[in-house]
């Protein structure tokens, strides 16, 4: 994880929570989800560890699961993905605005509901 922390290290806070992530295709449709573990967060960055490698600049949808609350849906773009250790990748996700397109928002909401009910 130290390899990812650069000049924004002071703004990152330790944050541990399960996160469901899915890739979004060029039309904004979510793909199959996988579970990762959040490691650190700031206003614009989420760092996670995953067994799955991600492509830089890929757009992802996320559902962050907090203890006593409904999961928070977020959208982001992969800023970096480096092999960390033990078959885990350290992934830095730059958080972006929620999509203005209602079809994309509806698809993400439906993906979340399907993942939660499964």
């Amino acid at each position: 994880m130290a390899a990812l922390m650069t000049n924004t290290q002071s703004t990152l806070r330790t944050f541990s929570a399960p996160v469901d992530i899915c890739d979004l295709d060029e039309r904004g449709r979510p793909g199959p989800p996988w579970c990762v573990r959040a490691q650190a967060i700031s206003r614009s960055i989420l760092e996670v560890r995953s067994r799955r490698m991600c492509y830089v600049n890929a757009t992802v949808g996320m559902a962050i699961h907090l203890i006593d609350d409904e999961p928070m849906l977020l959208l982001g773009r992969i800023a970096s993905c480096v092999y960390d250790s033990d078959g885990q990748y350290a992934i830095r996700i730059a958080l972006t605005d929620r999509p203005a397109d209602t079809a994309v928002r509806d698809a993400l909401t439906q993906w979340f509901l399907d993942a939660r009910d499964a």
Side-chain angles (χ1 to χ4, degrees):
M1 227 20 157
L4 289 181
M5 295 188 181
T6 59
N7 59 353
T8 60
Q9 183 173 6
S10 62
T11 60
L12 287 171
R13 303 282 185 229
T14 301
F15 178 71
S16 180
V19 180
D20 289 329
I21 291 185
C22 69
D23 289 317
L24 299 179
D25 66 10
E26 62 278 349
R27 291 184 176 177
R29 295 178 301 201
W34 73 96
C35 191
V36 300
R37 186 59 136 172
Q39 300 291 304
I41 194 167
S42 73
R43 288 182 164 198
S44 60
I45 299 289
L46 177 67
E47 288 187 355
V48 300
R49 285 178 51 100
S50 171
R51 291 200 173 274
R52 182 174 168 183
M53 185 196 80
C54 295
Y55 291 104
V56 174
N57 290 327
T59 303
V60 293
M62 297 166 281
I64 298 178
H65 299 276
L66 304 174
I67 295 173
D68 292 334
D69 202 4
E70 286 289 315
M72 172 63 74
L73 288 176
L74 297 173
L75 195 66
R77 186 169 301 278
I78 304 296
S80 66
C81 178
V82 295
Y83 183 79
D84 192 22
S85 64
D86 298 329
Q88 297 277 323
Y89 290 89
I91 302 169
R92 180 174 273 194
I93 303 168
L95 302 176
T96 60
D97 291 331
R98 291 187 180 190
D101 185 1
T102 57
V104 173
R105 276 195 313 231
D106 292 344
L108 277 174
T109 303
Q110 188 60 46
W111 163 79
F112 163 70
L113 292 173
D114 291 345
R116 182 178 67 174
D117 293 339

